Amino acid sequence: MSSAYDETAASKSPTRPRKTEPVTLAELAGEFGMDVRGDARVTGVTLSSQRVLPGDLYAALPGSRAHGASYAPGAVEAGAVAVLTDAAGAAQLAAEGLENTPLLIIEQPRKVLGALSARVYGNPSDRLRLIGVTGTQGKTTTTRLAESALLEAGHRAGVIGTVGTRIGGHDVKTTLTTPEAPDLHGLFGRMVEEETEACAMEVSSHALVMGRVDGVVFDVAVFLNLGRDHLDFHETVEDYFAAKADLFTPQRARLGIVNIDDEHGRRLAAEATIPIMSYALHDEGADWRATDVELRPDGSTFTVHGPGGLEFSAASPLAGDYNVSNTLAALASIHVAYSSAADAPEAADEVVRSVATALARGSGVPGRLERVDEGQPFTVVVDYAHKPDAVEAALGTLRPLTESRLIVVIGAGGDRDTGKRPIMGEISARLADHVIVTDDNPRTEDAASIRRQVLDGTTGGTASVEEIGDRRAAIERAISIAEPGDIVVVAGKGHETGQEINGVTHPFDDREVVRAALASH
């Protein structure tokens, strides 16, 4: 039996617990119905041969281009003490001279990977209050508002999502909106070590389909909305809905909170197989409601009404009624997460009141209607809106707040759903006064072709339209023509700090480019 646990090596990774109790292959094989060859004491799990730590179980899964077993020699050399794979992978390992490497063998290894990873790390998610948030738009805003407000109110909190991962207010580098299952359970293990109470997490449709949240049962799952997106991954909107609806099943969550202002939310509330609570701004029958809403350019105030006569004042640091909805979702999910059987309901009431007070002191979310203010006599906002519903929401929010002209810089990403491009152009030309069509992240596509598709949608609008392919020049142009009372919106990239062109990511931060343009202006 081999063992290569190295606590020092594990402590260097902020996405792993510093200490893990070893578990034997025989134990894992018995629990998950796998064949076992040899034995080892496992202290971690990884899908990446390049991120192996001593003591790891390397998951060699079949892929569309190559079998993970091809990378097993490197994983073993790096310190992996065993390999999880299928029969084909086991045969490939034998052919590569690794026939004596301890193995766990099962027909579909990905199906057990999440639960197995949770077991290796001691099922850390059971010791966290977990909030999983899904929706076409608003996931980042909702999870970040929840995390920052909990921290401000004195609670140890974490967040996992598009803008990154944070534990106790400290950034942790990860590569995916939802990390792969082994990394996710490792993160949870680190959060438990850091005495984290609650974690708010974005749950994308990709993550659900690809098993990245397998082995996790959320205390509360939140559904925000569903619009056109990811149709390069899902065949139809119905498939997209089905992927998100999977979060609202007993193997994924204990209770759901659903936005019944959204038509898909109403459907989900009727079809979900777990208990559901509803929230809404416009449906008076919802369990959670916001009334007395006052919208301002720098945020909003409102009154929250919850179950059992719960009522309190709240505020959102972000403009727009859709951000009132996101804030309401964050507050409702925190209340549910803190209303477990071990807690008195009064304790959850007190937590959510304190969090609402903390939210009023918040500064917003990176790249979400983020204002760039260098003392100029007009407003500049950077926003991540890169899908039709998000563009409509952002521009629809800012349109009535605009004293003079609404100027929009917008593009569309390459290698993604092409059908949304003219729709985004149409929305921009309808709601704005001047539209500058530029490049977003062309990726491997021809940038000019992408711009033409966006421009095709602008022809019926009332806005004046121009095309400037270079994104920096487009932003500089918008700033140069802005006058007092105007609002300039730089849409599409938000918090991102790079622009991907032909496989190369070039440093590019819309906020920094705006600041430079304002300085020269």
Side-chain angles (χ1 to χ4, degrees), residues 440-441 470-472 475 493 495-501 504-513:
D440 191 294
N441 290 311
D470 182 272
R471 190 172 181 88
R472 186 181 301 273
I475 293 172
K493 291 174 61 59
H495 65 282
E496 294 179 349
T497 57
Q499 185 180 32
E500 187 178 344
I501 304 172
V504 178
T505 300
H506 305 269
F508 200 102
D509 187 325
D510 283 352
R511 297 161 296 187
E512 293 305 314
V513 174

Side-chain angles (χ1 to χ4, degrees), residues 164-232:
T165 294
R166 283 159 52 95
I167 301 176
H170 301 290
D171 291 325
V172 175
K173 185 174 178 58
T174 54
T175 57
L176 297 170
T177 297
T178 308
E180 291 283 4
D183 298 323
L184 180 61
H185 290 283
L187 271 173
F188 288 154
R190 187 57 168 253
M191 287 184 181
V192 169
E193 284 188 345
E194 299 286 347
E195 299 182 341
T196 303
E197 295 178 22
C199 175
M201 175 179 166
E202 297 181 42
V203 183
S204 66
S205 57
H206 291 68
L208 289 160
V209 171
M210 299 174 72
R212 293 178 190 158
V213 291
D214 286 359
V216 181
V217 180
F218 292 92
D219 292 287
V220 53
V222 182
F223 178 88
L224 304 174
N225 48 61
L226 190 138
R228 183 190 177 104
D229 196 24
H230 299 309
L231 295 189
D232 53 320

Side-chain angles (χ1 to χ4, degrees), residues 136 205 223 225-245 262-264 267 389 417:
T136 300
S205 57
F223 178 88
N225 48 61
L226 190 138
R228 183 190 177 104
D229 196 24
H230 299 309
L231 295 189
D232 53 320
F233 181 79
H234 304 286
E235 290 188 5
T236 64
V237 172
E238 180 64 23
D239 291 335
Y240 182 33
F241 172 79
K244 290 193 175 296
D262 182 270
E263 62 175 317
H264 292 95
R267 175 183 169 188
D389 287 357
D417 174 20

Side-chain angles (χ1 to χ4, degrees), residues 5-349:
Y5 179 67
D6 185 343
E7 185 175 344
T8 303
S11 68
K12 293 178 182 177
S13 172
T15 62
R16 299 276 196 105
R18 297 181 183 87
K19 178 69 175 176
T20 303
E21 289 298 321
V23 57
T24 68
L25 293 191
E27 290 176 285
L28 294 173
E31 291 181 32
F32 295 97
M34 297 180 286
D35 292 332
V36 59
R37 297 182 188 173
D39 202 3
R41 291 163 60 83
V42 173
T43 54
V45 186
T46 183
L47 266 171
S48 172
S49 61
Q50 297 179 340
R51 291 190 287 113
V52 169
L53 292 181
D56 273 358
L57 172 68
Y58 169 61
L61 309 186
S64 57
R65 297 180 181 178
H67 199 292
S70 302
Y71 306 98
V76 172
E77 184 177 351
V81 296
V83 176
L84 166 68
T85 192
D86 57 7
Q92 188 168 336
L93 263 75
E96 300 216 19
L98 296 178
E99 63 274 2
N100 294 324
T101 300
L103 298 180
L104 289 173
I105 304 170
I106 192 169
E107 185 61 30
Q108 295 180 298
R110 181 172 280 280
K111 286 195 172 182
V112 302
L113 183 60
L116 182 148
S117 299
R119 170 66 178 85
V120 169
Y121 290 117
N123 298 303
S125 63
D126 293 346
R127 286 167 280 169
L128 295 166
R129 304 174 194 270
L130 286 181
I131 299 168
V133 181
T134 197
T136 300
Q137 58 176 331
K139 295 187 296 295
T140 299
T141 297
T142 302
T143 54
R144 282 276 170 156
L145 288 175
E147 178 252 3
S148 61
L150 280 166
L151 286 172
E152 182 69 23
H155 299 273
R156 295 282 296 179
V159 65
I160 300 172
T162 305
V163 178
T165 294
R166 283 159 52 95
I167 301 176
H170 301 290
D171 291 325
V172 175
K173 185 174 178 58
T174 54
T175 57
L176 297 170
T177 297
T178 308
E180 291 283 4
D183 298 323
L184 180 61
H185 290 283
L187 271 173
F188 288 154
R190 187 57 168 253
M191 287 184 181
V192 169
E193 284 188 345
E194 299 286 347
E195 299 182 341
T196 303
E197 295 178 22
C199 175
M201 175 179 166
E202 297 181 42
V203 183
S204 66
S205 57
H206 291 68
L208 289 160
V209 171
M210 299 174 72
R212 293 178 190 158
V213 291
D214 286 359
V216 181
V217 180
F218 292 92
D219 292 287
V220 53
V222 182
F223 178 88
L224 304 174
N225 48 61
L226 190 138
R228 183 190 177 104
D229 196 24
H230 299 309
L231 295 189
D232 53 320
F233 181 79
H234 304 286
E235 290 188 5
T236 64
V237 172
E238 180 64 23
D239 291 335
Y240 182 33
F241 172 79
K244 290 193 175 296
D246 185 51
L247 182 59
F248 298 81
T249 55
Q251 66 268 28
R252 302 282 194 197
R254 296 181 178 88
L255 187 143
I257 295 179
V258 174
N259 177 14
I260 58 172
D261 282 335
D262 182 270
E263 62 175 317
H264 292 95
R266 292 191 292 274
R267 175 183 169 188
L268 180 60
E271 296 178 0
T273 54
I274 58 173
I276 294 292
M277 299 183 76
S278 58
Y279 76 96
L281 300 188
H282 307 296
D283 191 321
E284 295 184 358
D287 298 302
W288 289 86
R289 296 176 53 232
T291 63
D292 307 319
V293 177
E294 294 188 14
L295 302 176
R296 305 186 310 274
D298 59 347
S300 58
T301 59
F302 53 97
T303 301
V304 174
H305 304 270
L310 179 64
E311 182 177 320
F312 55 91
S313 298
S316 172
L318 298 170
D321 60 353
Y322 67 97
N323 279 317
V324 174
S325 182
N326 291 334
T327 305
L328 181 61
L331 293 170
S333 64
I334 288 169
H335 188 274
V336 171
Y338 278 81
S339 296
S340 65
D343 297 319
E346 295 80 7
D349 290 355

